[in-house]
Amino acid sequence: MNSLRKIPATVITGFLGAGKTTLVRHLMEQANGKRIALIINEFGDLGVDREILAACGVEGCTEDTIIELANGCICCTVADEFLPTMDALLNRADPPDHIVIETSGLALPKPLVKAFHWPEIRHRVTVDGVIAVIDANATAAGRFADDPDAVQAMREADDSLDHDNPLEEVFTDQLLCADMVVLNKADLLDDAGLAALESALKAQVRPGVHLVPTAYGKIDPAVLLGLDKAAEDDLDARPSHHDGDDEHDHEDFETFFIDLGPVDDLDALEARLLTAINEHDILRIKGFLDVPGKAMRHLVQAVGPRLDHYYDRPWKADEQRASRLVVIGLHGLDRDAITARIRGLAPVAAL
C-alpha cells in the first residue's frame, strides 16, 4: 500500500512546559472540519493536559476524539497501551483524517516512531512527521546543561558519550528525532537572542530540519501537518543516546500528587508553590483547584519559576470538586518537605 493512502500521524514531542498542549489546542481551533484524533500521554497520575483540551470549547475537542494514556511514558508502554489504542482508533467506523500524538515531556520519540512498524498498524498509518516543541527563552538561557557549548563539543567528539544530566539527554534525543522544531515563546527573545538560538540549534538538528519561531503555539496547521516524512522508514537517520538499549526507563525522574482541599487564598498558594520550586528540584507543577464560592475550576501550571493560573471551565454537575496538583522532578524529591510547603505546613521563605 502506498504511504500516501495511510492515515497520517503527527508526533508532537518536547520538554516539560514547552507549550505542546497549547500548540495542539491551536491545531484543533484551525482544523477546518478535518477529523483529528488526539492521543495525549502524561507522566503522572492526573491527566491535566487532556482536561485542558477537553475544556477548551473548540469543536472537535470532545471526549471521543481525545484519548489519554496516563501514568506512564508512551515510549515505555508501546505494546501494552499505545498499540491497542491505535488499533481501536483505526478500526472505528469513521476513522480520523489525521492523528496527533502529544507525548509526555519526558518521552523519547524514537521508540514511539519505531512502533509504527508493528504488523497491527504499519499498513494503515504512517508518521507524517515528528515535531519538537521547545521553550525558546529557557533554551537560550541554557536550562538543559550547565555549559551547553561544552556538552555539544563533547558530543561531537564522542558519539557514545553518556551525559550526566538526564534533562540534556532527553532534550537532545527529542531534537535529533524531529522533522521540524517549533521555537515556542520566541516573543520573549529579542532579534539577536533568537538568531543566536537558531544558530546553536542548527548545529544540533539533522540536515534539512526547519526551525519555526512562534508564540503561544500559534502556527498554521498547514505548516505542521502534511509533511509526508514517513519517519518510521528512516529511523537510522534519527540518532539517539538510547540506540541499542533494550528499553528506556525514567529512573531519573519521579512524579507524585498532592491533595489540598478547598483553596481560599490563591495568592498565598502561589507564594508557597514558588517557594517550593525554588527550594527543590521541581521541573513542573500542574493541576486543578477548588476555589470556594467560584463556579469554575481553577487551573494551575508552573514551569520552573513561571507560574500561570486561571479559571478554565465550570465544574460539571456530576464531578466532585477537588484540589489536586501533580509534581514532577528529578529522582530524589523530598516529597514530605514539598507537600508540607505547598500545604502551608512549613514557613514560606521570602521570594
Side-chain angles (χ1 to χ4, degrees), residues 79-340:
D80 294 335
E81 296 187 51
F82 175 67
L83 289 172
T85 297
M86 287 290 291
D87 189 59
L89 191 59
L90 296 171
N91 285 331
R92 287 182 175 180
D94 190 17
D97 299 319
H98 202 110
I99 300 169
V100 173
I101 304 167
E102 179 192 339
T103 72
S104 156
L106 302 179
L108 302 179
K110 189 170 180 177
L112 172 58
V113 175
K114 188 181 298 184
F116 282 78
H117 276 300
W118 280 54
E120 293 92 333
I121 63 174
R122 66 184 180 187
H123 297 301
R124 295 184 288 168
V125 64
T126 181
V127 182
D128 181 68
V130 179
I131 310 297
V133 184
I134 73 167
D135 181 330
N137 189 50
T139 305
R143 296 284 175 81
F144 303 105
D146 295 330
D147 187 344
D149 293 334
V151 171
Q152 177 62 22
M154 286 186 289
R155 184 181 299 112
E156 293 173 353
D158 184 358
D159 292 336
S160 65
L161 181 67
D162 289 326
H163 301 300
D164 292 330
N165 188 342
L167 304 185
E168 173 71 21
E169 187 174 293
V170 172
F171 180 69
T172 54
D173 271 21
Q174 292 173 348
L175 287 181
L176 290 170
C177 193
D179 295 296
M180 180 179 293
V181 179
V182 173
L183 313 183
N184 198 34
K185 307 180 188 178
D187 56 311
L188 300 179
L189 296 173
D190 58 22
D191 291 343
L194 181 58
L197 175 61
E198 290 178 335
S199 178
L201 288 173
K202 285 178 181 177
Q204 298 185 56
V205 299
R206 298 177 300 118
V209 173
H210 293 289
L211 309 178
V212 183
T214 189
Y216 303 102
K218 293 183 177 179
I219 185 169
D220 189 335
V223 175
L224 299 182
L225 308 183
L227 299 182
D228 194 29
K229 294 294 185 179
E232 70 274 16
D233 293 333
D234 72 341
L235 287 169
D236 290 342
R238 301 166 189 263
S240 166
H241 296 301
H242 295 83
D243 285 342
D245 290 355
D246 291 333
E247 63 181 43
H248 164 67
D249 60 49
H250 289 294
E251 293 180 357
D252 293 316
F253 306 97
E254 65 177 284
T255 178
F256 68 99
F257 63 86
I258 301 173
D259 289 309
L260 296 176
V263 176
D264 294 293
D265 192 336
L266 291 173
D267 290 338
L269 176 61
E270 178 178 351
R272 297 197 300 271
L273 290 173
L274 292 174
T275 299
I277 290 169
N278 288 335
E279 291 177 343
H280 302 276
D281 290 328
I282 296 175
L283 300 175
R284 189 91 189 270
I285 295 177
K286 54 184 179 178
F288 305 105
L289 304 177
D290 169 22
V291 181
K294 298 294 185 180
M296 298 188 73
R297 186 179 66 177
H298 200 76
L299 169 69
V300 174
Q301 295 196 80
V303 182
R306 297 195 304 274
L307 189 150
D308 295 319
H309 56 94
Y310 54 88
Y311 293 97
D312 73 324
R313 68 159 173 81
W315 289 100
K316 298 177 182 179
D318 59 349
E319 73 178 320
Q320 182 177 357
R321 295 174 63 123
S323 299
R324 172 174 284 194
L325 299 175
V326 173
V327 179
I328 304 172
L330 296 175
H331 183 69
L333 289 175
D334 189 336
R335 298 189 181 196
D336 290 340
I338 293 171
T339 300

